[in-house]
mmCIF file of all heavy atoms in Angstrom:
data_model
loop_
_atom_site.group_PDB
_atom_site.id
_atom_site.type_symbol
_atom_site.label_atom_id
_atom_site.label_comp_id
_atom_site.label_asym_id
_atom_site.label_seq_id
_atom_site.Cartn_x
_atom_site.Cartn_y
_atom_site.Cartn_z
ATOM 1 N N THR A 24 12.949 -17.340 -96.555
ATOM 2 C CA THR A 24 14.025 -17.738 -95.660
ATOM 3 C C THR A 24 15.241 -18.167 -96.469
ATOM 4 O O THR A 24 15.141 -18.494 -97.667
ATOM 5 C CB THR A 24 13.576 -18.899 -94.763
ATOM 6 O OG1 THR A 24 13.205 -20.023 -95.599
ATOM 7 C CG2 THR A 24 12.392 -18.490 -93.909
ATOM 8 N N VAL A 25 16.387 -18.176 -95.802
ATOM 9 C CA VAL A 25 17.618 -18.648 -96.449
ATOM 10 C C VAL A 25 17.487 -20.131 -96.798
ATOM 11 O O VAL A 25 18.021 -20.595 -97.820
ATOM 12 C CB VAL A 25 18.819 -18.382 -95.520
ATOM 13 C CG1 VAL A 25 20.107 -18.926 -96.136
ATOM 14 C CG2 VAL A 25 18.949 -16.904 -95.215
ATOM 15 N N TYR A 26 16.757 -20.868 -95.963
ATOM 16 C CA TYR A 26 16.536 -22.304 -96.208
ATOM 17 C C TYR A 26 15.855 -22.505 -97.568
ATOM 18 O O TYR A 26 16.274 -23.348 -98.377
ATOM 19 C CB TYR A 26 15.683 -22.869 -95.077
ATOM 20 C CG TYR A 26 15.356 -24.334 -95.204
ATOM 21 C CD1 TYR A 26 16.137 -25.294 -94.585
ATOM 22 C CD2 TYR A 26 14.228 -24.764 -95.919
ATOM 23 C CE1 TYR A 26 15.831 -26.648 -94.693
ATOM 24 C CE2 TYR A 26 13.917 -26.104 -96.039
ATOM 25 C CZ TYR A 26 14.725 -27.049 -95.424
ATOM 26 O OH TYR A 26 14.418 -28.382 -95.544
ATOM 27 N N GLU A 27 14.808 -21.744 -97.831
ATOM 28 C CA GLU A 27 14.080 -21.880 -99.097
ATOM 29 C C GLU A 27 14.934 -21.449 -100.267
ATOM 30 O O GLU A 27 14.861 -22.034 -101.366
ATOM 31 C CB GLU A 27 12.800 -21.045 -99.035
ATOM 32 C CG GLU A 27 11.909 -21.192 -100.267
ATOM 33 C CD GLU A 27 10.602 -20.457 -100.124
ATOM 34 O OE1 GLU A 27 10.322 -19.971 -99.001
ATOM 35 O OE2 GLU A 27 9.864 -20.355 -101.122
ATOM 36 N N TRP A 28 15.787 -20.448 -100.088
ATOM 37 C CA TRP A 28 16.658 -19.991 -101.179
ATOM 38 C C TRP A 28 17.697 -21.045 -101.528
ATOM 39 O O TRP A 28 17.981 -21.295 -102.695
ATOM 40 C CB TRP A 28 17.315 -18.680 -100.764
ATOM 41 C CG TRP A 28 18.649 -18.408 -101.401
ATOM 42 C CD1 TRP A 28 19.869 -18.412 -100.813
ATOM 43 C CD2 TRP A 28 18.896 -18.057 -102.767
ATOM 44 N NE1 TRP A 28 20.851 -18.105 -101.684
ATOM 45 C CE2 TRP A 28 20.282 -17.888 -102.925
ATOM 46 C CE3 TRP A 28 18.078 -17.904 -103.880
ATOM 47 C CZ2 TRP A 28 20.873 -17.543 -104.127
ATOM 48 C CZ3 TRP A 28 18.657 -17.556 -105.094
ATOM 49 C CH2 TRP A 28 20.042 -17.374 -105.212
ATOM 50 N N ARG A 29 18.233 -21.720 -100.511
ATOM 51 C CA ARG A 29 19.294 -22.686 -100.770
ATOM 52 C C ARG A 29 18.751 -24.027 -101.257
ATOM 53 O O ARG A 29 19.364 -24.669 -102.109
ATOM 54 C CB ARG A 29 20.116 -22.892 -99.491
ATOM 55 C CG ARG A 29 20.961 -21.675 -99.132
ATOM 56 C CD ARG A 29 21.718 -21.877 -97.840
ATOM 57 N NE ARG A 29 22.589 -20.732 -97.536
ATOM 58 C CZ ARG A 29 23.286 -20.585 -96.427
ATOM 59 N NH1 ARG A 29 23.211 -21.541 -95.482
ATOM 60 N NH2 ARG A 29 24.043 -19.529 -96.234
ATOM 61 N N ARG A 30 17.585 -24.454 -100.727
ATOM 62 C CA ARG A 30 17.072 -25.782 -101.075
ATOM 63 C C ARG A 30 15.951 -25.753 -102.084
ATOM 64 O O ARG A 30 15.566 -26.797 -102.619
ATOM 65 C CB ARG A 30 16.602 -26.492 -99.801
ATOM 66 C CG ARG A 30 17.701 -26.601 -98.742
ATOM 67 C CD ARG A 30 17.358 -27.614 -97.686
ATOM 68 N NE ARG A 30 18.399 -27.698 -96.667
ATOM 69 C CZ ARG A 30 18.439 -28.631 -95.733
ATOM 70 N NH1 ARG A 30 17.468 -29.551 -95.678
ATOM 71 N NH2 ARG A 30 19.411 -28.639 -94.835
ATOM 72 N N GLY A 31 15.382 -24.588 -102.321
ATOM 73 C CA GLY A 31 14.342 -24.475 -103.329
ATOM 74 C C GLY A 31 12.968 -24.896 -102.863
ATOM 75 O O GLY A 31 12.023 -24.864 -103.660
ATOM 76 N N VAL A 32 12.825 -25.304 -101.606
ATOM 77 C CA VAL A 32 11.512 -25.703 -101.082
ATOM 78 C C VAL A 32 11.245 -24.916 -99.812
ATOM 79 O O VAL A 32 12.162 -24.530 -99.078
ATOM 80 C CB VAL A 32 11.458 -27.221 -100.791
ATOM 81 C CG1 VAL A 32 11.553 -28.011 -102.079
ATOM 82 C CG2 VAL A 32 12.564 -27.621 -99.810
ATOM 83 N N GLU A 33 9.997 -24.696 -99.519
ATOM 84 C CA GLU A 33 9.605 -23.952 -98.337
ATOM 85 C C GLU A 33 9.687 -24.861 -97.115
ATOM 86 O O GLU A 33 9.241 -26.006 -97.166
ATOM 87 C CB GLU A 33 8.190 -23.421 -98.509
ATOM 88 C CG GLU A 33 7.736 -22.512 -97.385
ATOM 89 C CD GLU A 33 6.365 -21.935 -97.656
ATOM 90 O OE1 GLU A 33 5.826 -22.194 -98.752
ATOM 91 O OE2 GLU A 33 5.826 -21.252 -96.761
ATOM 92 N N PRO A 34 10.276 -24.382 -96.014
ATOM 93 C CA PRO A 34 10.392 -25.250 -94.826
ATOM 94 C C PRO A 34 9.034 -25.475 -94.177
ATOM 95 O O PRO A 34 8.135 -24.637 -94.235
ATOM 96 C CB PRO A 34 11.325 -24.448 -93.911
ATOM 97 C CG PRO A 34 11.112 -23.031 -94.309
ATOM 98 C CD PRO A 34 10.847 -23.046 -95.799
ATOM 99 N N THR A 35 8.916 -26.661 -93.561
ATOM 100 C CA THR A 35 7.672 -26.965 -92.841
ATOM 101 C C THR A 35 7.646 -26.323 -91.458
ATOM 102 O O THR A 35 6.572 -26.087 -90.898
ATOM 103 C CB THR A 35 7.538 -28.484 -92.688
ATOM 104 O OG1 THR A 35 8.693 -28.989 -92.000
ATOM 105 C CG2 THR A 35 7.426 -29.147 -94.058
ATOM 106 N N MET A 36 8.828 -26.025 -90.906
ATOM 107 C CA MET A 36 8.907 -25.400 -89.594
ATOM 108 C C MET A 36 10.117 -24.459 -89.574
ATOM 109 O O MET A 36 11.166 -24.778 -90.127
ATOM 110 C CB MET A 36 9.061 -26.470 -88.498
ATOM 111 C CG MET A 36 9.132 -25.897 -87.072
ATOM 112 S SD MET A 36 9.388 -27.188 -85.844
ATOM 113 C CE MET A 36 7.909 -28.172 -86.099
ATOM 114 N N VAL A 37 9.931 -23.307 -88.963
ATOM 115 C CA VAL A 37 11.002 -22.309 -88.872
ATOM 116 C C VAL A 37 11.310 -22.078 -87.395
ATOM 117 O O VAL A 37 10.427 -21.673 -86.637
ATOM 118 C CB VAL A 37 10.609 -20.980 -89.545
ATOM 119 C CG1 VAL A 37 11.715 -19.947 -89.365
ATOM 120 C CG2 VAL A 37 10.302 -21.210 -91.022
ATOM 121 N N GLU A 38 12.546 -22.362 -86.991
ATOM 122 C CA GLU A 38 12.998 -22.129 -85.629
ATOM 123 C C GLU A 38 14.034 -21.005 -85.668
ATOM 124 O O GLU A 38 15.225 -21.239 -85.874
ATOM 125 C CB GLU A 38 13.607 -23.400 -85.029
ATOM 126 C CG GLU A 38 12.601 -24.530 -84.881
ATOM 127 C CD GLU A 38 13.232 -25.773 -84.263
ATOM 128 O OE1 GLU A 38 14.441 -25.701 -83.919
ATOM 129 O OE2 GLU A 38 12.527 -26.787 -84.123
ATOM 130 N N ARG A 39 13.551 -19.792 -85.494
ATOM 131 C CA ARG A 39 14.425 -18.622 -85.582
ATOM 132 C C ARG A 39 15.377 -18.581 -84.391
ATOM 133 O O ARG A 39 15.018 -18.978 -83.274
ATOM 134 C CB ARG A 39 13.606 -17.327 -85.626
ATOM 135 C CG ARG A 39 12.771 -17.188 -86.892
ATOM 136 C CD ARG A 39 11.966 -15.902 -86.857
ATOM 137 N NE ARG A 39 12.816 -14.735 -86.719
ATOM 138 C CZ ARG A 39 13.398 -14.116 -87.727
ATOM 139 N NH1 ARG A 39 13.226 -14.565 -88.980
ATOM 140 N NH2 ARG A 39 14.156 -13.058 -87.537
ATOM 141 N N PRO A 40 16.591 -18.104 -84.611
ATOM 142 C CA PRO A 40 17.522 -17.982 -83.467
ATOM 143 C C PRO A 40 16.993 -16.983 -82.455
ATOM 144 O O PRO A 40 16.407 -15.967 -82.805
ATOM 145 C CB PRO A 40 18.827 -17.495 -84.124
ATOM 146 C CG PRO A 40 18.412 -16.900 -85.433
ATOM 147 C CD PRO A 40 17.197 -17.659 -85.870
ATOM 148 N N ARG A 41 17.202 -17.322 -81.205
ATOM 149 C CA ARG A 41 16.693 -16.476 -80.131
ATOM 150 C C ARG A 41 17.527 -15.205 -80.035
ATOM 151 O O ARG A 41 18.747 -15.260 -79.939
ATOM 152 C CB ARG A 41 16.741 -17.237 -78.801
ATOM 153 C CG ARG A 41 16.089 -16.485 -77.640
ATOM 154 C CD ARG A 41 16.103 -17.330 -76.389
ATOM 155 N NE ARG A 41 15.470 -16.648 -75.277
ATOM 156 C CZ ARG A 41 15.348 -17.156 -74.059
ATOM 157 N NH1 ARG A 41 15.832 -18.380 -73.822
ATOM 158 N NH2 ARG A 41 14.763 -16.464 -73.098
ATOM 159 N N ALA A 42 16.843 -14.074 -80.090
ATOM 160 C CA ALA A 42 17.546 -12.791 -80.023
ATOM 161 C C ALA A 42 18.040 -12.548 -78.610
ATOM 162 O O ALA A 42 17.411 -12.934 -77.629
ATOM 163 C CB ALA A 42 16.618 -11.645 -80.456
ATOM 164 N N GLU A 43 19.192 -11.906 -78.532
ATOM 165 C CA GLU A 43 19.761 -11.564 -77.227
ATOM 166 C C GLU A 43 18.941 -10.457 -76.580
ATOM 167 O O GLU A 43 18.703 -9.413 -77.175
ATOM 168 C CB GLU A 43 21.209 -11.086 -77.399
ATOM 169 C CG GLU A 43 21.886 -10.728 -76.096
ATOM 170 C CD GLU A 43 23.295 -10.217 -76.322
ATOM 171 O OE1 GLU A 43 23.714 -10.182 -77.489
ATOM 172 O OE2 GLU A 43 23.954 -9.848 -75.337
ATOM 173 N N GLU A 44 18.510 -10.720 -75.381
ATOM 174 C CA GLU A 44 17.695 -9.740 -74.665
ATOM 175 C C GLU A 44 18.583 -8.945 -73.718
ATOM 176 O O GLU A 44 19.300 -9.500 -72.906
ATOM 177 C CB GLU A 44 16.586 -10.447 -73.868
ATOM 178 C CG GLU A 44 15.581 -11.176 -74.759
ATOM 179 C CD GLU A 44 14.479 -11.808 -73.938
ATOM 180 O OE1 GLU A 44 14.543 -11.666 -72.696
ATOM 181 O OE2 GLU A 44 13.578 -12.431 -74.522
ATOM 182 N N LEU A 45 18.511 -7.643 -73.890
ATOM 183 C CA LEU A 45 19.299 -6.758 -73.030
ATOM 184 C C LEU A 45 18.497 -6.428 -71.782
ATOM 185 O O LEU A 45 17.393 -5.898 -71.883
ATOM 186 C CB LEU A 45 19.652 -5.470 -73.780
ATOM 187 C CG LEU A 45 20.591 -5.660 -74.970
ATOM 188 C CD1 LEU A 45 20.833 -4.322 -75.624
ATOM 189 C CD2 LEU A 45 21.890 -6.276 -74.538
ATOM 190 N N PRO A 46 19.022 -6.737 -70.618
ATOM 191 C CA PRO A 46 18.268 -6.414 -69.398
ATOM 192 C C PRO A 46 18.214 -4.916 -69.175
ATOM 193 O O PRO A 46 19.133 -4.184 -69.533
ATOM 194 C CB PRO A 46 19.076 -7.105 -68.294
ATOM 195 C CG PRO A 46 20.474 -7.167 -68.841
ATOM 196 C CD PRO A 46 20.326 -7.335 -70.333
ATOM 197 N N GLU A 47 17.116 -4.492 -68.606
ATOM 198 C CA GLU A 47 16.983 -3.078 -68.242
ATOM 199 C C GLU A 47 17.939 -2.777 -67.096
ATOM 200 O O GLU A 47 18.304 -3.647 -66.303
ATOM 201 C CB GLU A 47 15.546 -2.768 -67.811
ATOM 202 C CG GLU A 47 14.532 -2.901 -68.929
ATOM 203 C CD GLU A 47 14.654 -1.792 -69.946
ATOM 204 O OE1 GLU A 47 15.275 -0.771 -69.635
ATOM 205 O OE2 GLU A 47 14.126 -1.970 -71.056
ATOM 206 N N GLN A 48 18.361 -1.537 -67.009
ATOM 207 C CA GLN A 48 19.244 -1.143 -65.926
ATOM 208 C C GLN A 48 18.512 -1.281 -64.598
ATOM 209 O O GLN A 48 17.391 -0.811 -64.438
ATOM 210 C CB GLN A 48 19.707 0.301 -66.121
ATOM 211 C CG GLN A 48 20.554 0.481 -67.367
ATOM 212 C CD GLN A 48 21.005 1.922 -67.515
ATOM 213 O OE1 GLN A 48 20.581 2.782 -66.761
ATOM 214 N NE2 GLN A 48 21.860 2.169 -68.480
ATOM 215 N N GLN A 49 19.160 -1.957 -63.674
ATOM 216 C CA GLN A 49 18.544 -2.181 -62.380
ATOM 217 C C GLN A 49 19.373 -1.513 -61.294
ATOM 218 O O GLN A 49 20.568 -1.296 -61.447
ATOM 219 C CB GLN A 49 18.425 -3.676 -62.084
ATOM 220 C CG GLN A 49 19.765 -4.430 -62.109
ATOM 221 C CD GLN A 49 19.573 -5.892 -61.848
ATOM 222 O OE1 GLN A 49 18.474 -6.337 -61.596
ATOM 223 N NE2 GLN A 49 20.654 -6.647 -61.885
ATOM 224 N N ASP A 50 18.705 -1.200 -60.220
ATOM 225 C CA ASP A 50 19.378 -0.535 -59.118
ATOM 226 C C ASP A 50 20.283 -1.516 -58.390
ATOM 227 O O ASP A 50 20.093 -2.734 -58.419
ATOM 228 C CB ASP A 50 18.358 0.039 -58.122
ATOM 229 C CG ASP A 50 17.497 1.086 -58.788
ATOM 230 O OD1 ASP A 50 17.975 1.692 -59.765
ATOM 231 O OD2 ASP A 50 16.346 1.277 -58.332
ATOM 232 N N GLU A 51 21.277 -0.958 -57.730
ATOM 233 C CA GLU A 51 22.209 -1.801 -56.993
ATOM 234 C C GLU A 51 21.520 -2.516 -55.845
ATOM 235 O O GLU A 51 21.886 -3.620 -55.475
ATOM 236 C CB GLU A 51 23.352 -0.932 -56.456
ATOM 237 C CG GLU A 51 24.466 -1.749 -55.810
ATOM 238 C CD GLU A 51 25.614 -0.878 -55.377
ATOM 239 O OE1 GLU A 51 25.566 0.328 -55.656
ATOM 240 O OE2 GLU A 51 26.541 -1.407 -54.751
ATOM 241 N N GLU A 52 20.449 -1.870 -55.308
ATOM 242 C CA GLU A 52 19.741 -2.503 -54.209
ATOM 243 C C GLU A 52 18.999 -3.755 -54.648
ATOM 244 O O GLU A 52 18.689 -4.618 -53.850
ATOM 245 C CB GLU A 52 18.756 -1.502 -53.593
ATOM 246 C CG GLU A 52 19.454 -0.281 -52.997
ATOM 247 C CD GLU A 52 18.444 0.702 -52.448
ATOM 248 O OE1 GLU A 52 17.233 0.441 -52.632
ATOM 249 O OE2 GLU A 52 18.847 1.696 -51.834
ATOM 250 N N ALA A 53 18.693 -3.830 -55.968
ATOM 251 C CA ALA A 53 17.925 -4.974 -56.455
ATOM 252 C C ALA A 53 18.789 -6.205 -56.682
ATOM 253 O O ALA A 53 18.286 -7.263 -56.995
ATOM 254 C CB ALA A 53 17.212 -4.613 -57.754
ATOM 255 N N ILE A 54 20.112 -6.074 -56.578
ATOM 256 C CA ILE A 54 21.007 -7.206 -56.811
ATOM 257 C C ILE A 54 20.979 -8.117 -55.588
ATOM 258 O O ILE A 54 21.192 -7.670 -54.464
ATOM 259 C CB ILE A 54 22.431 -6.720 -57.092
ATOM 260 C CG1 ILE A 54 22.440 -5.804 -58.319
ATOM 261 C CG2 ILE A 54 23.379 -7.879 -57.281
ATOM 262 C CD1 ILE A 54 23.797 -5.210 -58.603
ATOM 263 N N ASP A 55 20.725 -9.397 -55.835
ATOM 264 C CA ASP A 55 20.688 -10.373 -54.746
ATOM 265 C C ASP A 55 22.065 -10.998 -54.617
ATOM 266 O O ASP A 55 22.491 -11.774 -55.481
ATOM 267 C CB ASP A 55 19.629 -11.443 -55.046
ATOM 268 C CG ASP A 55 19.513 -12.422 -53.889
ATOM 269 O OD1 ASP A 55 20.102 -12.138 -52.819
ATOM 270 O OD2 ASP A 55 18.846 -13.459 -54.057
ATOM 271 N N TRP A 56 22.774 -10.623 -53.581
ATOM 272 C CA TRP A 56 24.115 -11.147 -53.381
ATOM 273 C C TRP A 56 24.106 -12.518 -52.711
ATOM 274 O O TRP A 56 25.163 -13.123 -52.507
ATOM 275 C CB TRP A 56 24.925 -10.175 -52.518
ATOM 276 C CG TRP A 56 25.115 -8.838 -53.164
ATOM 277 C CD1 TRP A 56 24.462 -7.685 -52.889
ATOM 278 C CD2 TRP A 56 26.017 -8.521 -54.220
ATOM 279 N NE1 TRP A 56 24.900 -6.683 -53.708
ATOM 280 C CE2 TRP A 56 25.850 -7.158 -54.527
ATOM 281 C CE3 TRP A 56 26.962 -9.266 -54.948
ATOM 282 C CZ2 TRP A 56 26.575 -6.530 -55.514
ATOM 283 C CZ3 TRP A 56 27.693 -8.640 -55.924
ATOM 284 C CH2 TRP A 56 27.497 -7.280 -56.211
ATOM 285 N N GLY A 57 22.929 -13.019 -52.381
ATOM 286 C CA GLY A 57 22.846 -14.335 -51.762
ATOM 287 C C GLY A 57 23.266 -14.317 -50.299
ATOM 288 O O GLY A 57 23.545 -13.282 -49.713
ATOM 289 N N ASP A 58 23.294 -15.520 -49.695
ATOM 290 C CA ASP A 58 23.676 -15.642 -48.295
ATOM 291 C C ASP A 58 25.193 -15.746 -48.220
ATOM 292 O O ASP A 58 25.807 -16.615 -48.833
ATOM 293 C CB ASP A 58 23.039 -16.908 -47.699
ATOM 294 C CG ASP A 58 23.192 -16.947 -46.190
ATOM 295 O OD1 ASP A 58 23.848 -16.017 -45.665
ATOM 296 O OD2 ASP A 58 22.669 -17.876 -45.568
ATOM 297 N N LEU A 59 25.807 -14.790 -47.546
ATOM 298 C CA LEU A 59 27.265 -14.742 -47.469
ATOM 299 C C LEU A 59 27.801 -15.640 -46.362
ATOM 300 O O LEU A 59 28.886 -15.401 -45.837
ATOM 301 C CB LEU A 59 27.727 -13.295 -47.253
ATOM 302 C CG LEU A 59 27.383 -12.343 -48.397
ATOM 303 C CD1 LEU A 59 27.871 -10.941 -48.059
ATOM 304 C CD2 LEU A 59 27.997 -12.825 -49.695
ATOM 305 N N GLY A 60 27.051 -16.660 -45.950
ATOM 306 C CA GLY A 60 27.569 -17.619 -44.985
ATOM 307 C C GLY A 60 27.340 -17.232 -43.544
ATOM 308 O O GLY A 60 28.142 -17.575 -42.675
ATOM 309 N N VAL A 61 26.236 -16.513 -43.311
ATOM 310 C CA VAL A 61 25.931 -16.155 -41.920
ATOM 311 C C VAL A 61 25.594 -17.405 -41.125
ATOM 312 O O VAL A 61 25.980 -17.567 -39.980
ATOM 313 C CB VAL A 61 24.772 -15.145 -41.881
ATOM 314 C CG1 VAL A 61 24.400 -14.814 -40.450
ATOM 315 C CG2 VAL A 61 25.163 -13.892 -42.638
ATOM 316 N N GLU A 62 24.862 -18.328 -41.759
ATOM 317 C CA GLU A 62 24.515 -19.586 -41.104
ATOM 318 C C GLU A 62 25.059 -20.721 -41.954
ATOM 319 O O GLU A 62 24.949 -20.709 -43.177
ATOM 320 C CB GLU A 62 23.000 -19.715 -40.961
ATOM 321 C CG GLU A 62 22.385 -18.638 -40.056
ATOM 322 C CD GLU A 62 20.900 -18.835 -39.922
ATOM 323 O OE1 GLU A 62 20.394 -19.781 -40.561
ATOM 324 O OE2 GLU A 62 20.258 -18.074 -39.192
ATOM 325 N N SER A 63 25.616 -21.717 -41.303
ATOM 326 C CA SER A 63 26.170 -22.853 -42.024
ATOM 327 C C SER A 63 25.054 -23.763 -42.482
ATOM 328 O O SER A 63 23.989 -23.840 -41.867
ATOM 329 C CB SER A 63 27.146 -23.610 -41.124
ATOM 330 O OG SER A 63 26.478 -24.045 -39.962
ATOM 331 N N ALA A 64 25.307 -24.455 -43.584
ATOM 332 C CA ALA A 64 24.301 -25.373 -44.121
ATOM 333 C C ALA A 64 24.154 -26.564 -43.199
ATOM 334 O O ALA A 64 25.119 -27.007 -42.552
ATOM 335 C CB ALA A 64 24.718 -25.837 -45.515
ATOM 336 N N PRO A 65 22.943 -27.136 -43.086
ATOM 337 C CA PRO A 65 22.753 -28.310 -42.207
ATOM 338 C C PRO A 65 23.506 -29.514 -42.725
ATOM 339 O O PRO A 65 23.718 -29.670 -43.927
ATOM 340 C CB PRO A 65 21.236 -28.518 -42.256
ATOM 341 C CG PRO A 65 20.801 -27.893 -43.538
ATOM 342 C CD PRO A 65 21.702 -26.720 -43.757
ATOM 343 N N THR A 66 23.865 -30.355 -41.812
ATOM 344 C CA THR A 66 24.613 -31.556 -42.165
ATOM 345 C C THR A 66 23.679 -32.575 -42.799
ATOM 346 O O THR A 66 22.607 -32.869 -42.259
ATOM 347 C CB THR A 66 25.245 -32.172 -40.908
ATOM 348 O OG1 THR A 66 26.053 -31.173 -40.290
ATOM 349 C CG2 THR A 66 26.073 -33.383 -41.258
#
């Protein structure tokens, strides 16, 4: 790791950066547009 190269000691724990996940192409029908205000929220 770069940590070991710079500090000369092996790290006790490695927390790798989370890779960006590309979503698969989804159909337009699968998009949830939510409730467009057909019913008002309760008071």
Side-chain angles (χ1 to χ4, degrees):
T24 60
V25 177
Y26 179 94
E27 184 175 351
W28 153 250
R29 290 178 177 174
R30 303 196 181 190
V32 293
E33 186 176 356
T35 57
M36 181 183 299
V37 177
E38 296 181 3
R39 294 179 58 85
R41 186 177 181 180
E43 181 182 359
E44 296 182 359
L45 294 179
E47 294 289 343
Q48 296 181 353
Q49 58 182 357
D50 298 334
E51 187 176 356
E52 298 178 355
I54 301 176
D55 183 10
W56 297 103
D58 191 357
L59 297 179
V61 177
E62 296 182 358
S63 59
T66 304

